[in-house]
Amino acid sequence: MSVYKEENTITADGSINCTENPAEQEETVSELHFAELLVALHNLSPGANFVLKKFTIFECNTICKMYFLNCVFKQVHVFKPFTSKAGNSEVYVICLGYVGIETLNAYLTRISETYRSMKSKAMFPLEAIPESFMLQLQECASLFVEQQKKTIIENLHLYPIPFVNYSLELREVQRVCAAEYLKRCHIYRNMTIDKLFPFENQIVSNFHDKNNRNMRTFRFQAMGEVFADLEKSKSMSWQDIILDVEKRMNKCFPLEEKRHLEDEEWCFVPKDVTNKMRTKGYSKWLLVGKKISFIQNSKFCNPMLLHLWNRISYDPQVEFQNYMPAACCYWDINSLSSFILENCFPEDFCIISEAQINEEASENDPALNKLKETFKKVFSCNFSSLEGQETDFPKQNRIIYINCTSWIKSLHQEIFIKPCLADILSKVIKFMNLGDSIIICFQSLLTRYTNGLLYMLLSLFEKFQCFLPNDIAPASCGQIWVIKNFRHPEYTVRIVKYLETIAQFKAPESMEVLQVIPISALCGDYFYEHLLGLNNTYLQRKVRKLISVEKNRLKVSV
């Protein structure tokens, strides 16, 4: 919902994912639309306007809302924009000329107090709604339903026809529409921008990914081509689910050529990252919201890939002990060590591992044990106890080792370690000297919170590289980030204080910190593109490994 005080207009276009039960979309979103309506009426000034997205207009609750809007606005129009897909039921209710809250104050207060208990009740009895209004509403609903039916029938007619038979004609229509859109919206071509983002081509192509796959088709292939597939998936056996996810993985995410570590180079921290952290007022970036129970959506990986991961990784059939790392090392630690050394000698460095969270796990850490073969000076310490104290550790060329994956036994650790991670990082940064490095292992980097912490950490260093586990690694293994050459910029103290604020932040019950860096910064070109590629590759491996383990456990062969 957006409020524009200077324009005295409120827009509300909220909705709920109704993929699993599209027939009940109107009823599913009814409470949300009611809440949006109440918020708008409490905040609009007299004479102001309100735009509310709705769908079908069949149920009594929707009829009552429409009548109520007609009572409190001078004009109410129902409109379907040209850009809204003709085959869906989306419409926009445009309300003009609000009568003002003074007229409704007592009534709105009463409704606000009782609206949750009104879900199964109508706001008005049928006899209170004029027949003339009901006739208008029926005519309105029929108009949009007939248009929708016409489109659906046309789509059903076109569905079996090979696309190649009408592709040229359709492309020409799309091209003409795109050109007309640019003309009407007064969007003028700029040769520099056009090279970076061929806007007209993207409109015509309906957005394709880097492999030229139509994203709408891609989504259907990953989640289910038709509604019947989604219904069928609810009654599938565990074995059938595994095979179905495997089929969709193979179809949507073919195996890509492996990265060769010998070809990798250091990634230098972009100036945009350091410039962002030089700004003051970090606390304004803090965003609190409803506590996350599982990561359903993420801007930091392919959403269809995340859907497939969630579909199997949260199933009760998946037992964590089947995915715990063995004693062997799943990362190319030799290449990692070479990256850090850069023609220096191992004896010039020392590793200091964080032992505050799980000291027993650190002793059985295969990556750390492998590092010990190269770096002979290895220490373990609790950084919390070091604050303000002198230590016997070397003062230069120190490598701080943090393995977050050992803190909690779960395939979804990221949502559980958030405050602890901020606390550890604040203490580690205080301890670091100029030129120090960090090796940190994350099980996943899918939330704004964790990526925000990584973003802050990177801003303090010169360069970084990420090492993914190999193909045989269990799904609980993480990605190792090597972050080198601590520069101790002037904003280091501010970052430490901000991390302490985040770690100690007391959110209301059922709430938590969701964001620590603005999403616009996290989705900056270089950092975002690099992270997106890593996460997609890494998540693919985890899904395939989980499928492999479960098939082996179930003794399934295909």
Side-chain angles (χ1 to χ4, degrees), residues 76-93:
V76 176
H77 305 269
V78 182
F79 178 70
K80 186 172 181 67
F82 177 74
T83 51
S84 178
K85 297 184 184 70
N88 68 26
S89 55
E90 176 187 70
V91 294
Y92 287 84
V93 182

Side-chain angles (χ1 to χ4, degrees), residues 164-186:
V164 68
N165 291 9
Y166 58 91
S167 60
L168 292 177
E169 180 184 351
L170 185 60
R171 289 293 183 197
E172 179 59 20
V173 172
Q174 290 175 326
R175 189 195 64 77
V176 171
C177 288
E180 184 65 20
Y181 175 83
L182 296 176
K183 178 182 175 182
R184 291 191 183 189
C185 296
H186 305 290

Side-chain angles (χ1 to χ4, degrees), residues 276-400:
K276 186 68 177 178
M277 297 313 300
R278 283 194 175 95
T279 60
K280 298 180 181 179
Y282 295 167
S283 58
K284 296 178 182 178
W285 297 344
L286 209 64
L287 180 67
V288 178
K290 185 179 178 182
K291 189 171 290 186
I292 297 174
S293 56
F294 74 101
I295 303 171
Q296 187 173 3
N297 298 293
S298 173
K299 290 184 179 292
F300 305 100
C301 71
N302 186 301
M304 280 68 84
L305 190 56
L306 181 61
H307 164 77
L308 295 174
W309 165 252
N310 285 340
R311 188 177 169 193
I312 53 178
S313 65
Y314 279 98
D315 196 282
Q317 296 275 356
V318 175
E319 298 180 359
F320 180 76
Q321 57 263 31
N322 295 329
Y323 300 93
M324 291 180 64
C328 61
C329 185
Y330 302 101
W331 300 266
D332 188 346
I333 298 299
N334 291 332
S335 294
L336 186 153
S337 300
S338 298
F339 257 73
I340 294 175
L341 290 172
E342 291 188 301
N343 301 320
C344 295
F345 298 103
E347 51 267 28
D348 295 334
F349 292 80
C350 76
I351 291 180
I352 305 172
S353 67
E354 166 57 44
Q356 178 186 1
I357 307 298
N358 192 337
E359 190 168 356
E360 181 182 351
S362 63
E363 294 176 358
N364 301 315
D365 186 330
L368 180 59
N369 290 335
K370 189 70 176 176
L371 283 167
K372 290 178 181 178
E373 296 178 8
T374 302
F375 302 93
K376 304 303 180 183
K377 300 176 185 176
V378 180
F379 306 89
S380 178
C381 75
N382 182 332
F383 284 98
S384 298
S385 63
L386 293 180
E387 194 169 348
Q389 297 184 23
E390 289 293 325
T391 66
D392 296 329
F393 301 140
K395 299 297 183 183
Q396 294 181 328
N397 292 335
R398 301 183 300 184
I399 304 168
I400 312 301

Side-chain angles (χ1 to χ4, degrees), residues 80-131:
K80 186 172 181 67
F82 177 74
T83 51
S84 178
K85 297 184 184 70
N88 68 26
S89 55
E90 176 187 70
V91 294
Y92 287 84
V93 182
I94 302 173
C95 310
L96 307 176
Y98 181 43
V99 298
I101 193 170
E102 291 78 9
T103 311
L104 303 167
N105 213 352
Y107 189 62
L108 284 179
T109 301
R110 184 182 172 193
I111 292 178
S112 299
E113 292 171 351
T114 59
Y115 90 95
R116 286 192 179 277
S117 62
M118 294 174 61
K119 287 190 291 184
S120 58
K121 301 176 183 177
M123 287 177 67
F124 305 101
L126 181 59
E127 57 270 18
I129 301 177
E131 185 178 354

Side-chain angles (χ1 to χ4, degrees), residues 5-25:
K5 291 183 179 178
E6 66 275 12
E7 299 293 342
N8 290 320
T9 297
I10 293 180
T11 63
D13 63 346
S15 187
I16 296 172
N17 186 352
C18 301
T19 308
E20 294 187 355
N21 196 3
E24 297 298 326
Q25 183 178 40

